[in-house]
Amino acid sequence: MGNNISDNFKQFTTATQDYIESSVSYHKLDLFKKVMKGVVFSSYKIILGFFSFLALLFLSLATAIYLGEFLESLALGYLIVGCFYIILVIILSFFLKKVLENALVKKASIQFFNDNK
């Protein structure tokens, strides 16, 4: 009878260790999957942002040159475009933080907690 209890206890501890190791491995893989989804999503957004920035830069330069030629003062064209961006920054400084925070938290939580994909 002593062997039977001892054997059962060894089997129990072995099964428990196997379960813990399997559980740790599963959680490592799940965390890796979620982190990689975040890295891919962030990389995608950074690349899109970079090319959007380049497009905006060239469009701004073209607009400044066009306005400069229209007003017969290239400096005035650049000044108007620069003032437009300063006004835009002032407006965004009041409203952007809350909107951006809500959007990013919502998207990040969907990416991080969505296990259906």
Side-chain angles (χ1 to χ4, degrees):
M1 190 151 179
N3 279 342
N4 194 12
I5 292 175
S6 176
D7 290 340
N8 286 341
F9 185 73
K10 285 180 184 177
Q11 288 177 350
F12 174 74
T13 55
T14 303
T16 303
Q17 286 176 341
D18 289 344
Y19 172 76
I20 291 172
E21 289 173 3
S22 297
S23 181
V24 167
S25 295
Y26 169 77
H27 288 295
K28 281 182 182 179
L29 284 173
D30 189 47
L31 180 65
F32 176 76
K33 174 185 155 189
K34 290 176 181 175
V35 167
M36 289 311 297
K37 275 186 174 182
V39 168
V40 168
F41 181 76
S42 299
S43 300
Y44 172 74
K45 291 295 181 178
I46 288 170
I47 291 169
L48 282 181
F50 174 73
F51 286 109
S52 297
F53 172 75
L54 283 178
L56 183 64
L57 177 68
F58 283 114
L59 288 172
S60 297
L61 287 172
T63 303
I65 292 170
Y66 175 76
L67 286 173
E69 289 178 357
F70 180 74
L71 299 171
E72 297 178 358
S73 173
L74 198 57
L76 191 57
Y78 283 108
L79 182 66
I80 291 171
V81 171
C83 287
F84 168 76
Y85 283 118
I86 288 173
I87 292 169
L88 186 65
V89 166
I90 290 169
I91 291 170
L92 289 177
S93 68
F94 289 114
F95 302 109
L96 185 64
K97 183 178 181 183
K98 188 67 174 172
V99 172
L100 194 60
E101 187 176 89
N102 288 339
L104 287 177
V105 167
K106 183 184 274 188
K107 284 193 178 215
S109 62
I110 288 170
Q111 283 286 327
F112 192 77
F113 294 111
N114 189 3
D115 288 333
N116 296 334
K117 292 183 180 179

